[in-house]
Amino acid sequence: MRRKNQRDRGNELDTTPQVWSDVAHAEKTFEQAHEVRERLARVSGMGTAARGDVRVTVGMGGRLTGVVIAGRAMEYSGEALSAEIMTAASLAEKAAAREVHSIATEFYPGLDFWDQYTGEVDR
């Protein structure tokens, strides 16, 4: 009777149902992570202030991607305009955070980690 060497044992493991199940699970997890990463890369949020004359858009993490100042907002003092931009930026950031939360809870239900970014945490 031939004694099994290490290589033979490895081949036996490769054909067990558990290994195939684990491989399938790992592939599904990888594909899911890729989709999450792609969707997070497209996250954006928009906020408005000054009756819609100040619009701010942000990307993932609140990164500023656009500012529009139109209409009567151009007549505001520097201080007033600054306050309106900050208001719109804050609203845009919250909108983006809600989108991140939505993606996270879709793919990872039951995790409340993301609630801290949307203001849904019990204080």
Side-chain angles (χ1 to χ4, degrees):
M1 178 176 254
R2 186 175 142 221
R3 188 169 183 224
K4 292 183 180 183
N5 64 30
Q6 189 66 20
R7 182 188 291 173
D8 291 336
R9 287 188 194 121
N11 289 338
E12 287 175 10
L13 288 176
D14 288 345
T15 60
T16 63
Q18 182 63 44
V19 170
W20 289 112
S21 174
D22 291 347
V23 168
H25 180 70
E27 287 174 350
K28 180 181 176 188
T29 300
F30 176 79
E31 290 171 7
Q32 180 178 337
H34 182 72
E35 184 175 349
V36 168
R37 191 171 39 252
E38 285 183 347
R39 288 182 59 186
L40 289 175
R42 293 189 305 263
V43 164
S44 69
M46 182 177 185
T48 61
R51 297 182 180 163
D53 287 339
V54 173
R55 294 183 300 278
V56 172
T57 55
V58 300
M60 180 67 179
R63 180 181 41 83
L64 188 67
T65 59
V67 176
V68 174
I69 301 168
R72 300 203 71 187
M74 292 193 286
E75 299 171 10
Y76 288 12
S77 70
E79 187 176 309
L81 182 56
S82 175
E84 295 297 331
I85 291 170
M86 293 302 291
T87 297
S90 177
L91 293 171
E93 185 177 13
K94 288 177 183 173
R98 284 191 301 273
E99 191 173 338
V100 168
H101 185 268
S102 175
I103 293 167
T105 55
E106 176 183 341
F107 286 92
Y108 308 105
L111 292 181
D112 59 1
F113 169 80
W114 298 100
D115 292 347
Q116 64 185 318
Y117 298 105
T118 60
E120 296 178 19
V121 170
D122 293 335
R123 298 190 193 269

